[in-house]
Amino acid sequence: MREVAGYLIHPKIPVDRPDIRVADVGTGTGIWACELATKLAKEARIDAFDISDAQYPAPAFRPENVHFYVHNSFQNYATEFQQQYDIVHARFLMCSVNDSNARSLLKAAPILINSNSWVENLKVLCEQAGLEDVSQSRHEWPDHLRPLWAQSSLASTADVLPKVDMWSTKEGGLTAKFIEDLQQEIAQGVAVDTPFQCVIGRKTR
């Protein structure tokens, strides 16, 4: 994301306080949280949450000020986490969450932040949650990263399709043929065009 947008935290969001606290919701591999730790003061604390710890880095590779927790973000956060954070970051959740579930998932983010703090989230949900100073910026993939994104999308597609009944149970190797066609298209220069939207909002009360 930093290569595409040019930042890890939106430039409007102040990060100059040494003891800043950040929550990363849906952290996945924890790569964003771990990289952010290298940009903040050692006194900063980053808490990373995900429904599974399967992708978390081994303890030896975790910065001292990054703490990982297993949590289902559809459920309420424990009291110890509520209204504790200056920044709440949620990245790529719409790639893995159905539309019908997205609203309840992302509404939980404001519960984590204290007054006069920031959420990186979706614009409409930020506004409906009563956040102020909501803004949205759009970032396009640079040409030199488009092949990488195409290959990543292909790998995800190859992993998911065999698990979907309508693809895996049909005769004639439909999944394999589809993946082969995608590989040929990528080799000819076809790339996935997926611009990123960065939305921020501030909780003032």
Side-chain angles (χ1 to χ4, degrees), residues 24 27-34 45-50 52-53 55-59 61-63 65-71 81:
D24 186 23
T27 191
T29 63
I31 187 171
W32 182 89
C34 291
R45 179 185 174 108
I46 303 170
D47 290 344
F49 302 91
D50 208 296
S52 168
D53 61 359
Q55 298 184 80
Y56 287 177
F61 297 106
R62 301 177 186 180
N65 58 346
V66 179
H67 306 267
F68 289 87
Y69 301 91
V70 174
H71 176 73
F81 299 119

Side-chain angles (χ1 to χ4, degrees), residues 110-130:
I111 296 173
L112 294 171
I113 59 179
N114 55 43
S115 297
N116 202 34
S117 297
W118 294 83
V119 175
E120 289 192 303
N121 214 309
L122 292 185
K123 188 173 188 294
V124 173
L125 295 182
C126 279
E127 293 171 339
Q128 292 179 346

Side-chain angles (χ1 to χ4, degrees), residues 70-84:
V70 174
H71 176 73
N72 182 350
S73 294
F74 289 102
Q75 301 175 357
N76 291 332
Y77 287 86
T79 304
E80 63 184 286
F81 299 119
Q82 296 180 16
Q83 298 182 341
Q84 296 299 310

